[in-house]
Amino acid sequence: MKLIFQHLFSNFFNTKEITTTRLYNFAKDSLSRFQTQNDTNDYDDVISYLEEPINRLNEKISTVDVALGLQFGKTMTVDQFIRLFKKTMSDKEGVIADAVGGFESPKYKEFYPHGVSEYSNAPKRELTVLVERVYTVTGTNAALLSPALVTKLQAFKSSWDMNRTDQQQQKGEVSEDRDERDVVRVDVEIALLKAMHALGVMHPGNRNHCYTFFDFNLLFPLSRRTTPPSSSRD
């Protein structure tokens, strides 16, 4: 009984293998299904609390993809992110130095306090500190840099936040603490849970009907995809 209770009321989207991109695709698909089946306005409330967090997650993913020159919806691995971050900080060193007053200027030292090699040689465990630094000093010096460069450099934090969340979940480092995970993603998870419970209240016991609003195959890699068990009682 305890396991049933935990399954019903836990956040089962906060688990390994559900990447942020998969979660977005699943949520967007579910929203579309509610909208399509809303001829009698039964699902107005569900649609209203799904739309905003899904749109925010869409904006975050698309902004990151555009800023970093990625194809929308492409999921970078953590290693790919690290390579891109290191390459960017190396390639843009001269551009940044020229914009902030030269290689000996105090503002250059804000970006590169230990030289460009600090980025080139950084181990994975130091990426959070470096990404946060770049985000902060870019904001402080935004008036000196081109808007495109500001957007690109600051996009690394959003991308790292999403990749970090996915990496932790892949390792099973799951936490219910919103402060430890990307808040934009968590808001989508909570909205989906509310939608599922609301649907259950509207159609209690009608599993097959409720299932038509959610394509769980979108959440997992191909090898993990399953279909709901059939029942002659449904």
Side-chain angles (χ1 to χ4, degrees):
M1 185 63 68
K2 182 179 179 181
L3 290 177
I4 294 175
F5 185 87
Q6 289 175 338
H7 181 72
L8 286 174
F9 297 104
S10 66
N11 179 2
F12 42 80
F13 294 109
N14 179 17
T15 187
K16 64 180 180 179
E17 296 189 11
I18 300 180
T19 66
T20 300
T21 301
R22 292 191 193 114
L23 181 73
Y24 169 75
N25 290 336
F26 172 82
K28 183 67 174 176
D29 178 74
S30 292
L31 174 60
S32 177
R33 291 169 185 241
F34 277 108
Q35 292 169 331
T36 299
Q37 301 189 48
N38 195 38
D39 293 339
T40 57
N41 302 108
D42 292 340
Y43 305 120
D44 283 352
D45 289 343
V46 175
I47 291 170
S48 68
Y49 55 69
L50 280 174
E51 281 182 324
E52 184 177 349
I54 291 173
N55 287 338
R56 286 203 307 270
L57 186 58
N58 174 36
E59 290 172 4
K60 184 167 188 176
I61 293 174
S62 59
T63 297
V64 168
D65 284 353
V66 170
L68 301 184
L70 302 173
Q71 180 181 356
F72 176 71
K74 177 182 178 182
T75 304
M76 279 193 301
T77 66
V78 172
D79 289 340
Q80 288 171 332
F81 169 90
I82 292 173
R83 287 196 295 271
L84 179 60
F85 178 68
K86 290 182 175 183
K87 184 177 187 301
T88 300
M89 295 311 296
S90 177
D91 291 348
K92 299 299 182 182
E93 181 193 15
V95 175
I96 293 171
D98 184 61
V100 301
F103 288 94
E104 299 302 321
S105 68
K107 290 186 179 298
Y108 168 82
K109 297 296 184 183
E110 292 177 11
F111 282 94
Y112 300 94
H114 305 291
V116 69
S117 62
E118 180 183 15
Y119 295 97
S120 303
N121 301 327
K124 184 183 297 185
R125 65 179 179 274
E126 295 181 9
L127 259 290
T128 298
V129 173
L130 296 179
V131 169
E132 290 282 354
R133 175 205 292 164
V134 169
Y135 179 85
T136 300
V137 299
T138 297
T140 302
N141 297 287
L144 301 174
L145 304 171
S146 71
L149 183 57
V150 171
T151 300
K152 186 178 186 69
L153 294 179
Q154 293 202 314
F156 280 112
K157 183 178 186 302
S158 291
S159 182
W160 181 244
D161 288 344
M162 288 188 290
N163 275 283
R164 178 71 174 159
T165 297
D166 295 343
Q167 181 190 35
Q168 288 174 330
Q169 289 177 328
Q170 289 285 348
K171 292 181 176 180
E173 300 172 12
V174 177
S175 170
E176 293 293 341
D177 188 345
R178 291 169 64 94
D179 294 334
E180 294 182 13
R181 299 201 292 129
D182 182 68
V183 174
V184 179
R185 174 185 166 125
V186 175
D187 286 344
V188 173
E189 295 173 354
I190 298 303
L192 286 168
L193 291 171
K194 289 172 62 179
M196 290 179 177
H197 288 298
L199 191 63
V201 170
M202 295 179 195
H203 307 283
N206 194 342
R207 183 186 61 182
N208 284 350
H209 178 72
C210 293
Y211 192 82
T212 63
F213 290 84
F214 305 100
D215 183 0
F216 291 96
N217 291 328
L218 295 173
L219 287 176
F220 301 102
L222 184 60
S223 61
R224 287 285 308 277
R225 292 181 180 177
T226 60
T227 56
S230 60
S231 172
S232 60
R233 298 182 60 185
D234 290 333

